[in-house]
Amino acid sequence: MIQAHSLYEGSFSVDASKVFVPFDPEKDDPKDRPASLFVHVRPFLVETSHGLVVLDTGLGERTEDDELLIHHNIKKLGFDPADVRYVLMSHLHKDHMGGVVDVQDGSTRIAFPNAEYVVQEKEWEAAYSTESASYRTDLFRALQRSGNLLLVDGDGEVNDEISYQLTGGHSEFHQVFHIKTGGEHYFFGGDVLSEPGEIFRNFVAKYDFDGKKSRDLRADFWEKGAPEGWIFLFYHSKSIQIGRPVEKDDGSFKLEDIAE
């Protein structure tokens, strides 16, 4: 049984302003948004023997009833956000960390009060030291005050099921996560490997801190993960969101969509 779930927040366009604008492909025309990227935003929830794990937290979108959308999506799956034990942050760009906190009635509190938030220390420091529109440092303060922030350095393990790897690439101190639970190996590549098409296209992205490194990392993760049967979780995918490698007759691998 697959223990990973997409917490889909929606489809968006984003241009040089770094503003994420909702995009409905049934009503909106991409031609009206020149020089824009079009992405889906989907954090993930993974069930482990150590409790629920959230992988990145989305934009912080809200429902019509003013509920944090990531909370709403977790509840729809039959879980309680209060039971989340770990929030694993690949990096701190605003489309990945907007749901770190919940703002209601003028009060800001962390969105998962019983969770440890795992962040690379140098990513935290870099976010504070830059004026980039990619970061919303106003959201960091509640997390910093909460006592729930776990700053890590380099590669390591959170517990016997969860490990993290400092990769750089998309941001200078980006990290990826491996979760081995229930007989499966889940891999979350954040924005180093955010869409399945990135596996099969050899390209250098201008939006990466180090595009060549991201390109090489993607190839390495696929080369190692495909024959080992990793389950890949794609944060910005418009097609396959949870994919398992399947060997073809010629010995190469394709991705099979296994999302529920």
Side-chain angles (χ1 to χ4, degrees):
M1 182 180 70
I2 302 304
Q3 297 171 215
H5 313 273
S6 170
L7 303 173
Y8 177 62
E9 280 203 337
S11 180
F12 302 86
S13 67
V14 56
D15 59 17
S17 69
K18 306 297 185 182
V19 175
F20 284 74
V21 181
F23 178 80
D24 185 342
E26 295 185 0
K27 299 187 302 182
D28 300 323
D29 188 343
K31 295 179 181 178
D32 295 331
R33 305 186 189 186
S36 293
L37 291 173
F38 296 86
V39 298
H40 285 3
V41 173
R42 56 174 88 254
F44 288 94
L45 183 77
V46 179
E47 304 167 62
T48 79
S49 61
H50 294 280
L52 298 176
V53 174
V54 166
L55 292 157
D56 288 351
T57 64
L59 278 159
E61 296 289 286
R62 307 190 75 83
T63 68
E64 292 181 357
D65 297 327
D66 198 32
E67 181 181 23
L68 199 61
L69 183 55
I70 194 169
H71 282 177
H72 176 75
N73 288 339
I74 289 172
K75 291 175 183 177
K76 281 199 306 182
L77 292 168
F79 301 107
D80 187 339
D83 291 335
V84 173
R85 291 294 175 261
Y86 297 99
V87 178
L88 309 180
M89 300 299 302
S90 66
H91 63 301
L92 298 176
H93 286 169
K94 61 187 178 183
D95 57 317
H96 291 253
M97 66 88 59
V100 160
V101 300
D102 188 11
V103 181
Q104 281 190 324
D105 303 322
S107 176
T108 302
R109 59 184 66 86
I110 58 172
F112 301 99
N114 298 315
E116 281 191 300
Y117 289 70
V118 181
V119 178
Q120 280 287 329
E121 183 172 16
K122 289 185 174 65
E123 172 73 7
W124 181 268
E125 294 170 352
Y128 266 116
S129 64
T130 182
E131 296 182 0
S132 170
S134 294
Y135 294 103
R136 284 193 57 190
T137 55
D138 59 302
L139 299 180
F140 295 1
R141 299 185 187 97
L143 179 56
Q144 190 173 34
R145 294 193 302 265
S146 68
N148 294 49
L149 177 62
L150 175 61
L151 294 174
V152 297
D153 184 16
D155 303 345
E157 297 180 349
V158 177
N159 55 42
D160 59 0
E161 292 184 322
I162 302 170
S163 63
Y164 51 88
Q165 177 185 349
L166 175 63
T167 60
H170 179 67
S171 66
E172 188 173 4
F173 302 105
H174 182 284
Q175 65 182 341
V176 300
F177 294 96
H178 299 263
I179 301 177
K180 299 177 182 179
T181 190
E184 301 285 8
H185 181 158
Y186 299 92
F187 174 75
F188 181 64
D191 270 2
V192 166
L193 182 50
S194 64
E195 296 188 72
E198 293 176 336
I199 293 173
F200 304 107
R201 289 186 293 122
N202 183 12
F203 71 100
V204 175
K206 294 181 179 179
Y207 48 76
D208 283 335
F209 174 81
D210 186 338
K212 291 182 178 179
K213 186 174 186 180
S214 288
R215 177 199 61 193
D216 295 343
L217 284 165
R218 289 192 288 269
D220 289 345
F221 290 138
W222 181 247
E223 182 179 351
K224 181 173 178 56
E228 292 185 4
W230 296 3
I231 295 177
F232 290 79
L233 309 177
F234 298 104
Y235 190 83
H236 285 309
S237 178
K238 296 181 283 292
S239 55
I240 296 174
Q241 51 195 295
I242 302 174
R244 186 194 296 277
V246 175
E247 189 170 4
K248 298 190 292 185
D249 292 339
D250 63 2
S252 64
F253 289 86
K254 64 180 181 179
L255 267 175
E256 179 181 275
D257 191 348
I258 58 171
E260 296 176 349

